[in-house]
Structure formats: structure tokens, C-alpha cells
Amino acid sequence: MLTCAVPTTLGPVIGAEQGHVRAFKGVPFAMARRFAKATPPLAWTEPRRCTDYGPYAPQPGQLDQPEDSCLSLNIWTPVGADGPLPVLFFIHGGAFVTGGGADYDGTFLAAHGPAVIVTINYRLGPLGFLQLHRHGLSEADNLAISDALAALDWVHANIANFGGDPDQVTLSGQSAGASMVIALATLPQARGKFTRALALSAPGRNIMSADHADHIARRVLAELEIEQDPSAIASVPLPNLFAAVERVGRRIADETEAGTVFGPVLDGSVIPREPRDVFADGTLRDVELWLGSCRDEMVMFLKSTPPAAMIRTSERNLRVAFGDAGWERLLACYRGSVRPDENPYEALLSDAFWHRPMADLARSHAEAGGAVWLSRFDHRPALEPFLSQGPTHGADNACLWAHLPDFIDRPILKRKGGPMMPADIDVAARFQTSLLRFVTSGMPDVAEAWPRFEPHRESLAIFGQPFQVVPLNEGARSRLWAELSA
């Protein structure tokens, strides 16, 4: 059933009712030529039908998507709810190279909030993250971040027409999307356009140096054999461009300390300051922050074929930081305190790459006077790959977007959903309720059930059966980390 036209700054749009929710899909918020900054699309006067997801960004295995029209967003808003409603603005993950907003159907969350749910597309891989500004080939670096800013600007200007409150926007994201949230939250351009932030499974290194990004760009130009004519990259066929990036990426993992190819870049312009420094100096003390991770983050990457590059990079960086002797002490400690179903090597790298950086960011925000909550997702969803791999990377995300009593399909990533078990429903319901409380009030739970993370009381919420809150730093592992880091 089609809805009535809703006005926007670009023109009216028509969505469709899905039960008690109205959905507007594929709403264009910007357009962009290759390696150019996003600009507003052409306005329209006749109502535009927005009932199907728009094209998503070209990505490996799916390079037939149009480059210039992938910048769209999707909105779910409850029918008949008293407004204005809080808004969840979600940035998808996918290692900065895959995914899209269509993998996250916000119908269930919108109805149960009630809240307005927004998911966005942004440019991926070399189209969004290859930094060519030093070569005079792009108007700016951090094009994907600029895409997200353009989407946030659109939401701030238009979401009231969809029942949302532009003064109650929560930035949220998972994995690569969480890295983008952490960077986006610190930007002067985003100030006043959001009130709180949720970052799930942000990698330990949330920002890339400009020199490393330039090194990647030079390597890609060399791989394409166009170092002498860098402007030729604008017309390189997408399969050739993405293949060159993949070859460079395989070598970079073993040759550089960062080991990564793409991500937000400290370019001094779009991102002028290290995001963690901005949190630490109190600039964002008025922003409520929820940081989360999954217990066995690294299992998925350890079991990939071949094991993901971050495995080698994480071990190498720990050996550099603490020496081979320190590394062996850590590994011995984890082996000596292993759970029955735990891989000590994986647990060590999960702590180093995921859990400890999240705790450090929480600590910085709390010490600067900000309100922050820290969580870990320990539940194993009855859905692959989690059924066989445990609560690894993305387990929380699968439950967050579930339409209870079912997991949803992920069409872009080609992952099927399915029925949930009673334990899945129990944990997912608690997780979703916490999210919607956070979006609405800035607190994921009442203080007695889940106290905020504070310098004198570092609380960690565990989403499992049962839900519990425990002190963050306890046991031999924490004591050894503290000793080695002193």
C-alpha cells in the first residue's frame, strides 16, 4: 500500500506501508562522479516512488552497480506514532569494501521503538577510500566520510517530515561503520546534527595516517601502470581497478605496520584531528556513547581461508610493542586461563585488536566527563556462521536487526536469515530494548541494572544468558596487560 507524498528539500517522495510502518527506500541524498565529492542530485517536482532499495556501491563480485547513483538512504517510520520520534542513523560495515543499507531492514526496530530508522549507502573500496588528493585527482580525501556527512545533512534537514526529531539523532554503525561513526562524531561539520553515538565492533585502529593512505594510492597507481598519468585512473574499468586494489592489499598486509588498505584517514582537512584525541579532551563530553564488541571477534577472521591479514598484523604489532618475550608471556597467560571452548591465540588477538581499544576509548570519554557504556556480546546465535563459530564478529548485529522471532536475510552479502531459538529471542530482545532506550533517552538501561562506565567503576555489560554486569579488569590476563603496558 502506497503512502501519501512526503516533501523533502529535493522533491516529494512516496513510500509504502509495511504493517504499522511506512518505508521509503532508495531516497537519493547525493550523487557523485568517480573520485569527486558528493553533490546534491537534481531536484524533482513530481512525487518520486521510493519503494525499492536503490543501487548500492560497486564492490567485489558486484561491480555492475552504477557508480554515480549509489548514494541513497532508506527510512522506516511508524504509522500514527506521536512525534517527533528519536532517529537511529546507521552506517553499515563490511571492511570498507562490501555491504549496503539494504542489508538492514528497520521495520521491526521502527515499530517497537517507536523510532525512525535510517540506513545509508556510501562509496566503498577505492571509490570511497582511495586517497588521491595529493595526486591532484580528487576534490578531497575521505570521500566516503563526506558521503556520510551528506547523508547526515539530508537527515537533519528532512527527517522531521518523516516524523523524526532532528535534535535526537543517534549515529550508529558496526565494524567499518563503527569506525566511521567514531570519526564522524568528532568532525566540526557534524556538530549539532547528532546527540549520541553507538559503535559496535570498531577495529582497534580507527584512523589511518595520511602517509600510509598516500602509500596505498601510489601502490595502486603503480599496479595499474599509470604512475606517469595518474588521471587515467578516472577511466580504468571497475574490474581492473578492484583487481589491482586486491593485489596491492595482499602485499600490504605483510609489508606495513598498519596492514590495512582502506579506512578513514587523518588528512587534516575532512578529518582534522585524531578522533580519540577529540574524545579525550572533552570536546564530546555532552555526547552519550555506547561501545560494544563480541566475545570471540577474531574467530571469523582466523577461520577465513587464508586467515585474514589482521591476524598477522595484530600479532606483529604486539611483538613490536612488547617484544617477543612479552608476546610469549601473553600467550602463555591466555593458555593458562583458557575456557573449555576458547582458542587462547584467538582470545589474545580479540582482546588486543577489539576489546582493549574499545575499553581505552570508553576510559578516555569517561575521564573527560562523558557518559559512556561498554558492552560485550557473549551469545552464540543459532545462525551461521555464528552457530559454528560462536559469538564472533557480527553476532550482535545479527540480533540487533532481527525481526523477532526470525533473523533477517542479508541480500547484498548473500546471507540467509531463519528462525530464532528461544535463547536468541531472549538475548536479542534485551539487546534491542537497550538500543531503543539509548536512542530515546541516552541510557541503554536503568542505572541500577547497567551502570555507566566510570573511572572509579569500569562496568562491562555482558549480553548473554543471563544478562550481567561485571567489573572490566579482573584476573591474570588484565594484570599482565597492565604490567606490560606500564
Side-chain angles (χ1 to χ4, degrees), residues 265-319:
V265 175
L266 186 61
D267 63 348
S269 176
V270 178
I271 303 179
R273 296 181 59 199
E274 162 63 57
R276 289 175 183 265
D277 291 344
V278 181
F279 279 97
D281 70 12
T283 301
L284 299 175
R285 66 169 57 92
D286 293 332
V287 172
E288 295 104 353
L289 182 63
W290 175 0
L291 302 170
S293 56
C294 295
R295 189 190 70 189
D296 302 335
E297 290 278 3
M298 276 296 195
V299 168
M300 175 183 291
F301 305 101
L302 193 61
K303 292 191 174 183
S304 61
T305 305
M310 71 174 68
I311 299 292
R312 302 190 301 278
T313 302
S314 297
E315 178 180 338
R316 184 171 67 242
N317 289 343
L318 282 174
R319 289 181 180 273

Side-chain angles (χ1 to χ4, degrees), residues 77-86 114-116 159-160 162-166:
T77 183
V79 175
D82 292 332
L85 299 174
V116 176
I159 206 64
F162 297 85
D165 186 347

Side-chain angles (χ1 to χ4, degrees), residues 10 29-31 38-42:
L10 293 169
F29 65 84
M31 61 184 299
T39 58
L42 296 176

Side-chain angles (χ1 to χ4, degrees), residues 93-98 174-176 200-204 260 293-314 343 345-347 349-351 353-355 385-386 389-396 415:
F96 306 106
V97 295
T98 62
Q174 185 264 345
S175 191
L200 298 175
S201 298
T260 52
S293 56
C294 295
R295 189 190 70 189
D296 302 335
E297 290 278 3
M298 276 296 195
V299 168
M300 175 183 291
F301 305 101
L302 193 61
K303 292 191 174 183
S304 61
T305 305
M310 71 174 68
I311 299 292
R312 302 190 301 278
T313 302
S314 297
N343 177 329
Y345 179 76
E346 179 277 326
L349 295 187
S350 285
D351 278 352
F353 193 81
W354 306 93
H355 303 143
F386 315 109
Q389 296 184 2
T392 188
H393 191 66
D396 51 0
R415 288 187 184 174

Side-chain angles (χ1 to χ4, degrees), residues 6-318:
V6 175
T8 77
T9 51
L10 293 169
V13 295
I14 295 175
E17 289 194 14
Q18 300 175 352
H20 299 292
V21 171
R22 293 183 300 163
F24 300 82
K25 300 177 179 178
V27 181
F29 65 84
M31 61 184 299
R33 295 176 290 104
R34 187 186 291 191
F35 302 129
K37 191 174 181 179
T39 58
L42 296 176
W44 57 90
T45 55
E46 292 299 315
R48 182 179 188 127
R49 184 167 177 148
C50 293
T51 55
D52 296 306
Y53 292 114
Y56 47 89
Q59 51 198 273
Q62 302 178 68
L63 297 177
D64 55 347
Q65 298 293 312
E67 290 185 52
D68 59 354
S69 58
C70 67
L71 301 181
S72 65
L73 49 78
N74 314 297
I75 304 166
W76 291 266
T77 183
V79 175
D82 292 332
L85 299 174
V87 179
L88 179 75
F89 179 96
F90 183 76
I91 305 177
H92 71 81
F96 306 106
V97 295
T98 62
D103 268 349
Y104 304 91
D105 187 313
T107 305
F108 190 87
L109 289 175
H112 285 75
V116 176
I117 310 299
V118 178
T119 68
I120 72 169
N121 291 341
Y122 56 95
R123 282 174 284 182
L124 300 170
L127 303 178
F129 293 96
L130 193 62
Q131 310 298 315
L132 296 170
H133 190 53
R134 290 187 182 182
H135 300 269
L137 298 178
S138 66
E139 299 169 356
D141 284 339
N142 281 304
L143 292 175
I145 292 288
S146 295
D147 294 347
L149 277 169
L152 185 61
D153 287 344
W154 189 97
V155 167
H156 187 70
N158 292 284
I159 206 64
N161 296 336
F162 297 85
D165 186 347
D167 295 322
Q168 289 290 319
V169 175
T170 297
L171 296 180
S172 65
Q174 185 264 345
S175 191
S179 285
M180 292 183 65
V181 163
I182 290 170
L184 199 63
T186 68
L187 302 186
Q189 307 95 302
R191 202 69 46 80
K193 297 171 185 173
F194 73 101
T195 53
R196 50 193 65 103
L198 166 65
L200 298 175
S201 298
R205 289 178 176 271
N206 298 116
I207 199 76
M208 184 183 295
S209 74
D211 286 343
H212 180 71
D214 183 58
H215 177 69
I216 298 295
R218 286 187 282 106
R219 293 286 292 270
V220 170
L221 293 173
E223 188 70 24
L224 291 167
E225 299 181 346
I226 55 173
E227 310 100 301
Q228 304 306 314
D229 182 19
S231 62
I233 196 170
S235 58
V236 169
L238 283 184
N240 296 12
L241 176 59
F242 275 75
V245 165
E246 183 181 1
R247 292 192 297 271
V248 168
R250 286 198 299 265
R251 294 192 288 268
I252 286 292
D254 292 319
E255 295 174 8
T256 66
E257 178 185 350
T260 52
V261 178
F262 294 131
V265 175
L266 186 61
D267 63 348
S269 176
V270 178
I271 303 179
R273 296 181 59 199
E274 162 63 57
R276 289 175 183 265
D277 291 344
V278 181
F279 279 97
D281 70 12
T283 301
L284 299 175
R285 66 169 57 92
D286 293 332
V287 172
E288 295 104 353
L289 182 63
W290 175 0
L291 302 170
S293 56
C294 295
R295 189 190 70 189
D296 302 335
E297 290 278 3
M298 276 296 195
V299 168
M300 175 183 291
F301 305 101
L302 193 61
K303 292 191 174 183
S304 61
T305 305
M310 71 174 68
I311 299 292
R312 302 190 301 278
T313 302
S314 297
E315 178 180 338
R316 184 171 67 242
N317 289 343
L318 282 174

